[in-house]
Amino acid sequence: MFVSENLDVNSAGHLTIGGADTVELAKEYGTPLYVMDEQLIRDNLRRFHDSMNKYYDGKGEVHFAGKAFSCMEMCRIVADEGDGLDAVSIGELYTAFKAGFPMEKVGFHGNNKTDEELRFAVEHGVGHIIVDNISELQRLEKIAGDSGVRPNIMFRIKPGIDAHTHDFVKTGQIDSKFGFALETGEAFEAVKEAVSCENVNLYGLHCHIGSQIFDIAPFEEAARVMLGFISEIREKLGYEIEGLNLGGGFGIRYTEKDDPSPFETYLEKVSDVVKSECSRLGIKLPKMFIEPGRSIVASAGITLYTVGARKEIPNIRTYISIDGGMADSPRYILYGSEYDAIVANKADQDKTEKVTIAGRCCESGDLIGENMKLQHAESGDIIAVCATGAYNYSMSSNYNRLQKPAVVFVNNGASRIAVKRESLDDIIRNDI
Ligand code: LLP
């Protein structure tokens, strides 16, 4: 009935998430409101790391991709589950550090890291720095030399895989701003240079082929390509690469049209490929890293809004306007991403209408979705947009000087605030 398994209806006919009544949450914390189900986040992390243990004999680490959803409470949960973190800016590193996250379990990404960021990563003992380009390698060699710490690095490689996903989130093919190309020899030259560096240790290779991918085959193919390169490095340079990071990108169910494979199947198949390729090529089994973001948090989140105006334009469409929009939920305007929505206080009723849910920003494209099936919605109703836990809070903005909503975590019916709603003073805090 619902796109995410943690949603249900209670005896009042209200939508629940993780056992908490969403209408009550809206009343208690106000709207717009991000709600995250802690139990589902933990379950998802466990499904990944348990499968890593089962199918890859525990020789791997799961690093949650913080870009999907980063705040201190999330870092604490990931740390508590014993998993690692993929961070992509000094802001994400700082969030983790302040939350007490074990920094040796952090991989630091970015295609254009600043010296300040590299220094922060080195000085805070980040586990791996995933180096994107030669000038970064050279700057890092110097920064590490100055600090006296010898960081582990991985190289971000473009394995040249087209994962058939949305153009904006395809990063594995040659025309990408991320990483070193294999087919031009660029990656091999970089490895040669890194091997001779004194102040960094070339530990591993990394690739990430895209996001919201349903098909397992491109992941298997990427693993084959990467292992082929590891084998080439061993043959030509006599250098053993120890770590293989296969990135994230596993698809989730946003609407009933989406049918992702279970994470377990992904890990089983990819582990099989890695093991069989290693024995075929006669190379050591690398330590394997994966970086799921969306698949950990998307289904665990919903966003709650209050309906304001209802505008019926005869023979055209009905607009339902809500008290949030593209500033807190930018994925429709950016990617045309579809979501499922429910009138939370009428969750036991049938969806009888097709509507456009419109945001409150001064911009016609500010929509949550079009042709969305919904219960009859009127002013004062609460709308829940489902599976918004990834790349909404993390990509939110203050457009129109709107205050960013609060983030609330629920767990078995109880709720607690994790990020406060911004105040009006927050809006002007840096204005002089
Ligand atoms: N690792 C690397 C190096 C990445 O670049 C990404 C995502 C991930 C892991 C996590 O991928 P996930 O498991 O979440 O698919 N803003 C877009 C998604 C951009 C993804 C960027 N990189 C969206 O809202 O769909």
Side-chain angles (χ1 to χ4, degrees):
M1 174 178 182
F2 298 115
V3 282
S4 312
E5 63 199 82
N6 56 343
L7 304 178
D8 209 342
V9 186
N10 63 16
S11 54
H14 296 175
L15 180 73
T16 62
I17 175 167
D21 184 318
T22 55
V23 179
E24 292 303 318
L25 290 172
K27 223 182 268 171
E28 184 174 351
Y29 299 100
T31 58
L33 184 69
Y34 296 113
V35 184
M36 301 295 289
D37 179 359
E38 179 178 354
Q39 193 55 52
L40 187 54
I41 293 173
R42 288 183 183 271
D43 288 349
N44 287 338
L45 287 166
R46 284 173 202 170
R47 284 177 64 192
F48 273 110
H49 64 228
D50 288 350
S51 315
M52 184 73 101
N53 290 341
K54 182 167 171 195
Y55 299 114
Y56 203 65
D57 314 321
K59 228 179 159 283
E61 275 184 32
V62 177
H63 284 202
F64 167 65
K67 71 208 78 177
F69 176 77
S70 171
C71 67
M72 286 169 63
E73 187 63 354
M74 183 65 197
C75 291
R76 288 182 204 112
I77 291 170
V78 176
D80 189 51
E81 290 297 328
D83 295 312
L85 189 73
D86 145 15
V88 79
S89 70
I90 194 169
E92 286 185 9
L93 287 177
Y94 188 72
T95 305
F97 176 68
K98 292 301 261 188
F101 199 89
M103 298 306 274
E104 69 282 3
K105 283 201 161 178
V106 176
F108 182 39
H109 278 277
N111 68 306
N112 198 18
K113 305 176 189 77
T114 64
D115 285 358
E116 182 197 13
E117 290 181 310
L118 290 173
R119 213 171 290 120
F120 187 95
V122 169
E123 285 168 5
H124 290 78
V126 157
H128 305 112
I129 298 176
I130 294 95
V131 172
D132 178 272
N133 55 71
I134 278 292
S135 80
E136 182 185 331
L137 177 69
Q138 292 159 353
R139 285 187 293 124
L140 182 59
E141 168 75 353
K142 178 156 183 349
I143 288 167
D146 292 346
S147 77
V149 180
R150 190 161 186 260
N152 284 320
I153 64 163
M154 294 197 186
F155 272 139
R156 174 142 185 182
I157 305 293
K158 295 185 235 196
I161 309 287
D162 177 351
H164 307 293
T165 179
H166 193 291
D167 269 350
F168 295 169
V169 290
K170 238 191 263 173
T171 48
Q173 77 282 43
I174 188 162
D175 181 10
S176 163
K177 68 172 182 170
F178 296 103
F180 296 93
L182 273 184
E183 52 268 66
T184 59
E186 183 192 21
F188 188 74
E189 287 307 309
V191 169
K192 264 198 337 212
E193 183 162 339
V195 166
S196 67
C197 282
E198 275 178 20
N199 304 322
V200 301
N201 174 42
L202 178 60
Y203 172 82
L205 299 179
H206 170 281
C207 70
H208 170 78
I209 57 171
S211 203
Q212 184 62 358
I213 301 169
F214 290 133
D215 193 359
I216 296 177
F219 291 110
E220 295 176 318
E221 193 49 30
R224 275 188 209 104
V225 171
M226 297 295 282
L227 289 163
F229 188 42
I230 289 178
S231 165
E232 182 189 342
I233 293 168
R234 202 178 86 128
E235 258 168 47
K236 295 190 178 154
L237 303 176
Y239 190 85
E240 198 109 47
I241 295 288
E242 288 175 61
L244 174 61
N245 188 329
L246 294 172
F250 325 117
I252 69 108
R253 190 156 189 245
Y254 281 109
T255 69
E256 61 199 13
K257 287 183 261 175
D258 298 328
D259 187 19
S261 312
F263 316 150
E264 289 82 358
T265 313
Y266 156 79
L267 266 166
E268 181 179 5
K269 291 198 166 178
V270 171
S271 299
D272 280 353
V273 166
V274 173
K275 287 186 201 164
S276 64
E277 278 297 284
C278 283
S279 75
R280 189 179 71 79
L281 296 163
I283 55 176
K284 214 174 81 182
L285 210 58
K287 179 160 177 181
M288 185 157 87
F289 297 78
I290 55 166
E291 297 170 330
R294 190 191 311 272
S295 48
I296 303 293
V297 284
S299 306
I302 58 171
T303 313
L304 297 177
Y305 301 100
T306 303
V307 175
R310 180 186 166 98
K311 224 169 249 181
E312 289 177 24
I313 308 178
N315 305 321
I316 311 264
R317 63 168 105 195
T318 298
Y319 282 101
I320 304 292
S321 291
I322 51 159
D323 56 353
M326 62 183 279
D328 56 70
S329 183
R331 298 192 68 259
Y332 187 74
I333 197 162
L334 276 174
Y335 317 116
S337 303
E338 290 182 33
Y339 284 96
D340 190 39
I342 298 157
V343 177
N345 50 307
K346 299 174 180 167
D348 56 346
Q349 298 179 18
D350 289 339
K351 293 184 169 181
T352 51
E353 301 190 339
K354 264 199 179 168
V355 299
T356 293
I357 301 183
R360 52 164 301 175
C361 288
C362 276
E363 181 142 342
S364 320
D366 172 24
L367 306 174
I368 299 291
E370 294 164 277
N371 288 315
M372 296 176 88
K373 281 198 217 142
L374 199 67
Q375 292 87 353
H376 180 83
E378 284 165 6
S379 181
D381 283 340
I382 303 297
I383 285 187
V385 182
C386 306
T388 57
Y391 302 110
N392 280 294
Y393 170 67
S394 64
M395 300 209 318
S396 63
S397 76
N398 291 113
Y399 184 45
N400 287 181
R401 293 232 136 180
L402 294 175
Q403 297 147 254
K404 287 190 190 172
V407 180
V408 160
F409 275 72
V410 293
N411 197 348
N412 286 320
S415 65
R416 65 183 192 280
I417 196 117
V419 182
K420 288 190 282 186
R421 181 179 307 285
E422 286 185 342
S423 66
L424 286 173
D425 282 326
D426 287 331
I427 294 291
I428 57 161
R429 74 179 178 275
N430 295 320
D431 292 13
I432 310 283

